[in-house]
Amino acid sequence: MAVDGDDLSLLPEEVVPAEGPFSWFGVPVFVGVASLVLPLRAELASPNLGTFFEVLEVLWPAAMLALMLRLTYRVRARHGEDGGCRFAGWCLAGWAFIGGLAVLLVGHQAEMGVAVNKPGVVVSDMAIAGAALGLLVGRYDVERCTEYAEVERLNRRLGFLNDLLGHDVRNDVAVVDAYAQGLAADYGPDERLEGIRRKVDHVTDLIRVAGELNEAETADRDLRPVDLSTVVRRAAERAREGFPEATVRVEGELPEGATVRADSLVGSVFDNLLRNAVQHGGETPEVVVSATAVEEAVRVRVADDGPGVPDSVREDLFGEGASDEDSAGSGLGLYLVARLVDRYGGRVEVAENEPTGTVFTVRLPRSG
């Protein structure tokens, strides 16, 4: 998948339905005008024309019609024809429900021998009030559905851009890295080539964490029991393979049966902590991993031998993009760690190591 330059025409877009000659937004207008006809005719035919209650019988549906016209205009102006069917449906539902209740009420009064003055006007006034109430509910429903559709559209676009980063950009970065290695092999070591390779590693790390963040934010996973000892052991093995210059060792025996409630992303927690420990370790980084299980939780400790956490970033260490100027990382790894640990109902803490370095401790509640 390749996108040239700034051409984003391949990004997935919503299909906008074409507007036809019929508009669902005409339904509320028709209902309101039709409900106004009966009270108006009754007022004009009444011998008490112009009295307070006679005028009120016309002003009430007129006010409801004005409210319906305003709601219809605002919803149509904001959402176009997309939500017209739902909007009209709520109008008709409110009109039929409240109007039906009015018919039952008038009928019940007639059976009881209680005369109802102008029963048609009573039913009409209550029905138009129900239609206006239905439009209020319909406006909320249309806006909720529109917001949901917008979130889905943005998620699809985010997924597209993430795939673009993970495929095209990653491949281009790999080509740059290969060129830098080839130049170093032909012309010998050069600080500028080493700088290129450091930037390549940085960009690759950014792409990796961005992909994991996207998966963590958009995926809807159910938590299940996960053997944390196995996860930690595999993370340590991946760290040894990815950073052969560092010493990554597991101290003591990892507890057996240390299950926690997590998902497939739990490995990213320890991958990022180990990567962070190596990147901020000493000249020849040494990272020690240990785990203990207590009655209610499993604690995993990741310690390095680096200079420690600078005071400038300590308070916001797990914030999005938190990083000092000399850091080799993207600043997103620890943010991802905090987000995932929070999802699993645990917590992550940072402390100073002895005699030097930093210790990260992850505490996750045991399953069952």
Side-chain angles (χ1 to χ4, degrees), residues 106-143:
V106 170
H108 178 71
Q109 293 292 89
E111 289 182 357
M112 297 292 293
V114 179
V116 178
N117 188 29
K118 300 179 183 177
V121 174
V122 173
V123 171
S124 179
D125 285 353
M126 292 186 67
I128 194 173
L133 179 62
L135 289 186
L136 287 172
V137 177
R139 177 188 176 186
Y140 168 79
D141 185 45
V142 169
E143 291 183 347

Side-chain angles (χ1 to χ4, degrees), residues 67-90:
L67 174 62
M68 292 168 64
L69 290 175
R70 179 171 178 81
L71 286 172
T72 301
Y73 173 79
R74 293 189 64 177
V75 172
R76 191 175 192 275
R78 182 173 181 179
H79 304 287
E81 293 291 333
D82 292 345
C85 182
R86 302 179 70 89
F87 192 66
W90 280 106

Side-chain angles (χ1 to χ4, degrees), residues 277-295:
V278 172
Q279 291 176 340
H280 296 85
E283 294 184 3
T284 55
E286 182 174 350
V287 181
V288 180
V289 184
S290 61
T292 56
V294 295
E295 184 176 350

Side-chain angles (χ1 to χ4, degrees), residues 66-331:
L67 174 62
M68 292 168 64
L69 290 175
R70 179 171 178 81
L71 286 172
T72 301
Y73 173 79
R74 293 189 64 177
V75 172
R76 191 175 192 275
R78 182 173 181 179
H79 304 287
E81 293 291 333
D82 292 345
C85 182
R86 302 179 70 89
F87 192 66
W90 280 106
C91 172
L92 292 174
W95 178 81
F97 180 72
I98 301 299
L101 288 179
V103 170
L104 292 176
L105 177 62
V106 170
H108 178 71
Q109 293 292 89
E111 289 182 357
M112 297 292 293
V114 179
V116 178
N117 188 29
K118 300 179 183 177
V121 174
V122 173
V123 171
S124 179
D125 285 353
M126 292 186 67
I128 194 173
L133 179 62
L135 289 186
L136 287 172
V137 177
R139 177 188 176 186
Y140 168 79
D141 185 45
V142 169
E143 291 183 347
R144 180 185 60 83
C145 291
T146 301
E147 290 172 357
Y148 179 79
E150 179 66 11
V151 169
E152 289 295 309
R153 185 185 69 83
L154 292 176
N155 281 339
R156 286 195 297 272
R157 176 167 291 191
L158 181 61
F160 177 88
L161 292 175
N162 184 64
D163 291 342
L164 183 67
L165 279 174
H167 185 267
D168 291 49
V169 177
R170 188 192 296 271
N171 289 346
D172 290 344
V173 169
V175 171
V176 172
D177 188 37
Y179 284 155
Q181 292 185 51
L183 290 172
D186 292 341
Y187 300 100
D190 188 291
E191 181 60 31
R192 291 169 296 183
L193 295 178
E194 288 300 317
I196 291 174
R197 298 203 63 191
R198 284 195 297 270
K199 290 300 180 183
V200 164
D201 291 341
H202 182 72
V203 173
T204 303
D205 186 49
L206 278 174
I207 295 172
R208 177 189 60 82
V209 177
E212 293 177 351
L213 274 173
N214 177 64
E215 189 176 2
E217 295 290 346
T218 59
D220 186 15
R221 290 185 172 84
D222 293 329
L223 302 184
R224 64 182 189 279
V226 175
D227 184 359
L228 198 61
S229 294
T230 301
V231 172
V232 172
R233 188 178 298 109
R234 291 175 179 173
E237 292 172 358
R238 288 192 294 270
R240 295 189 192 101
E241 295 173 359
F243 302 98
E245 74 281 5
T247 300
V248 179
R249 61 184 178 89
V250 177
E251 187 176 65
E253 293 292 329
L254 296 177
E256 297 296 331
T259 57
V260 299
R261 293 193 60 79
D263 54 32
S264 60
L265 290 174
V266 67
S268 295
V269 172
F270 303 102
D271 286 340
N272 281 285
L273 286 177
L274 289 168
R275 181 183 299 270
N276 179 79
V278 172
Q279 291 176 340
H280 296 85
E283 294 184 3
T284 55
E286 182 174 350
V287 181
V288 180
V289 184
S290 61
T292 56
V294 295
E295 184 176 350
E296 297 181 351
V298 180
R299 287 195 295 264
V300 180
R301 186 175 181 270
V302 178
D304 65 58
D305 60 347
V309 179
D311 294 336
S312 59
V313 298
R314 180 179 291 273
E315 292 185 1
D316 194 32
L317 185 61
F318 297 100
E320 187 174 358
S323 178
D324 65 306
E325 294 180 357
D326 299 327
S327 174
S330 63

Side-chain angles (χ1 to χ4, degrees), residues 21-43:
F22 173 77
S23 173
W24 284 103
F25 287 100
V27 173
V29 178
F30 174 79
V31 169
V33 172
S35 300
L36 182 61
V37 170
L38 186 58
L40 185 60
R41 290 182 61 185
E43 166 66 11

